[in-house]
Amino acid sequence: MNEKMVKAINKQLNFELESAHVYLAMQNYFARQSLSGFEHWFNVQYKEEVEHAEKFMTYLNDRGQNVEITGFGNPKNDFNSVLEVLETSLAHEKKVTKKINELMDLAIELNDYASVSFLQWYIDEQVEEEANFSELIDKVKMMDGKGLYILNRELGSRTE
Ligand code: OFO
């Protein structure tokens, strides 16, 4: 594999772990607010990000490349509202989408067809990631306090 590609994938897999921590901090914000449905939903999101990182790790290992785990900055732990958490999440996912698109650009430029094929899953996943948060933002904007209680119950049943 081209070294540039290996380096870029390593960077992204560490960013996925950083994303996991971003959502873990949010999960605990919701725990403090006694919004257990949101807490659960963000725990599923946290685990999903770990899976995204693991998928990249498996890919590098399968192709005989070294995985390098790095550190990263502290996530935001405090928020003023549910909406602020969701808007921060959507902005984060847009950042992820940009990074995944850049990885795809690099794979195409290097004629790395295996990486092009592999990255397609992440391109599709990002459509879902952004849609999930946009939808939640719309729902929260439409509701009053009682609606938030109902949404909280609904989010408690997320499985994937
Ligand atoms: Fe891994 O997609 Fe969200 O961050």
Side-chain angles (χ1 to χ4, degrees):
M1 255 178 103
N2 183 293
E3 257 181 49
K4 263 201 211 167
M5 196 74 226
V6 174
K7 213 173 155 188
I9 291 181
N10 263 306
K11 206 170 162 195
Q12 185 61 31
L13 83 81
N14 281 288
F15 194 67
E16 297 290 342
L17 292 172
E18 184 172 342
S19 300
H21 279 219
V22 164
Y23 295 124
L24 191 60
M26 290 171 173
Q27 175 193 328
N28 283 285
Y29 163 78
F30 288 119
R32 289 195 296 280
Q33 309 300 312
S34 300
L35 284 167
S36 59
F38 280 89
E39 179 189 348
H40 167 78
W41 197 94
F42 274 80
N43 175 260
V44 175
Q45 185 67 29
Y46 155 72
K47 287 177 180 154
E48 219 180 82
E49 298 301 346
V50 173
E51 278 173 24
H52 293 172
E54 285 176 345
K55 216 171 156 71
F56 276 120
M57 287 179 213
T58 303
Y59 179 67
L60 286 182
N61 283 320
D62 283 352
R63 294 199 66 190
Q65 306 299 323
N66 285 354
V67 169
E68 281 184 40
I69 302 300
T70 64
F72 39 79
N74 293 340
K76 187 171 160 59
N77 279 278
D78 282 314
F79 302 89
N80 293 314
S81 65
V82 170
L83 200 56
E84 189 194 350
V85 176
L86 297 174
E87 279 169 347
T88 305
S89 301
L90 179 60
H92 183 81
E93 286 308 326
K94 285 187 175 168
K95 211 195 279 181
V96 176
T97 300
K98 189 169 173 282
K99 287 175 185 289
I100 296 288
N101 288 346
E102 285 167 2
L103 271 182
M104 182 61 109
D105 285 342
L106 182 64
I108 291 169
E109 185 194 313
L110 296 171
N111 294 330
D112 182 346
Y113 304 117
S115 293
V116 169
S117 171
F118 170 74
L119 288 167
Q120 187 59 49
W121 184 88
Y122 287 89
I123 299 273
D124 299 340
E125 176 70 6
Q126 281 312 115
V127 174
E128 194 192 303
E129 292 278 79
E130 287 193 30
N132 281 346
F133 285 112
S134 295
E135 201 181 307
L136 275 182
I137 287 170
D138 288 344
K139 281 183 179 171
V140 168
K141 278 184 178 165
M142 276 186 278
M143 61 190 38
D144 52 15
K146 193 172 153 206
L148 194 63
Y149 173 76
I150 294 166
L151 180 60
N152 181 56
R153 276 184 38 189
E154 182 189 314
L155 297 186
S157 61
R158 180 181 180 186
T159 55
E160 61 179 60

